Amino acid sequence: MASVRLRRLNRRLVEDLREDLADLYVESRATAPGDGYRRPGRQDFLNRVTADMGRPGFVMVIAESDGLMGCAFGFPVRGDGSWWLGFDGVLPRSVGQLTVSGRAFAFGDILIRPHPQERELARRVQERLLADHQASLGATLVDGADHPTLAALHSWGWLDVGELRRPLGATTFRALVFPAVEQTAARLEGLVTMTGGGGAGGL
């Protein structure tokens, strides 16, 4: 993994890599035999990248070796808490505090090419994105029916904090967080709900 380089992209460079990113999405989210969940297609992914690029503070980090190995992208969570609108129940206090203080970052997606050390690479990409924004907490939403993605995120260090449904939306999401520092992880301990079958995407 030492040969894998991490690089931050601006919007223009993301545009230049759109097709490579779409290829990475298709390969990293291939549907396994017997998996009844049908993920959004290649164009849906590109549309989502375009929408997220329009958000204030958008940034993407990619991992490269001989080719594109992975990427993660997103934007800062607004301190007014609107990102958590539709959360079922009471948001964990630590999550709310980090959101209000501007130290939470929303991940639009995390894509890692299948690899024996994909867990290590995922953590490097995630931590780099958070470090660049001086954020203490990553947050993401995953379709509750997308068990393979939930399982992947859990294996990469993400914690399930509850269920969320956007107003007028039909999809029920699992809300997951990724603590960037040990102290944050300790404060979240005991607040985690490990769902069966299991996270990124769907923001």
Side-chain angles (χ1 to χ4, degrees):
M1 296 302 292
S3 63
V4 177
R5 306 172 303 278
L6 301 186
R7 182 161 61 105
R8 179 172 170 169
L9 304 184
N10 58 29
R11 287 177 171 84
R12 182 184 60 78
L13 292 173
V14 173
E15 286 286 357
D16 292 343
L17 282 178
R18 280 174 61 87
E19 294 307 313
D20 290 335
L21 291 168
D23 290 343
L24 176 65
Y25 171 77
V26 170
E27 184 172 347
S28 64
R29 296 293 167 82
T31 302
D35 182 3
Y37 179 74
R38 289 294 173 262
R39 292 170 184 76
R42 178 189 183 99
Q43 189 58 50
D44 294 316
F45 166 75
L46 289 174
N47 292 344
R48 185 153 50 83
V49 172
T50 299
D52 281 356
M53 285 173 63
R55 296 177 182 266
F58 170 86
V59 68
M60 177 182 288
V61 169
I62 62 171
E64 302 172 294
S65 183
D66 294 335
L68 188 61
M69 297 291 293
C71 80
F73 60 88
F75 48 89
V77 174
R78 291 173 55 181
D80 62 6
S82 58
W83 194 85
W84 298 104
L85 185 64
F87 187 83
D88 185 14
V90 179
L91 190 68
R93 186 191 308 177
S94 295
V95 175
Q97 289 174 341
L98 290 169
T99 298
V100 171
S101 66
R103 289 185 289 156
F105 187 87
F107 282 70
D109 217 333
I110 307 160
L111 306 174
I112 304 295
R113 194 177 301 281
H115 187 277
Q117 293 179 288
E118 64 180 47
R119 182 179 303 182
E120 179 186 343
L121 180 56
R123 291 187 70 90
R124 283 181 60 190
V125 171
Q126 291 163 179
E127 290 170 356
R128 168 65 183 275
L129 201 54
L130 292 177
D132 282 356
H133 274 270
Q134 298 182 324
S136 299
L137 189 75
T140 194
L141 302 179
V142 182
D143 187 331
D146 189 355
H147 299 300
T149 297
L150 287 167
L153 287 180
H154 286 146
S155 75
W156 297 344
W158 288 77
L159 310 174
D160 191 313
V161 295
E163 190 172 274
L164 184 149
R165 178 177 290 185
R166 295 298 191 205
L168 306 179
T171 302
T172 298
F173 295 102
R174 297 306 306 178
L176 293 93
V177 295
F178 180 78
V181 293
E182 188 175 329
Q183 297 93 318
T184 302
R187 287 157 63 189
L188 289 169
E189 198 68 37
L191 300 174
V192 183
T193 304
M194 297 301 288
T195 59
L203 297 184

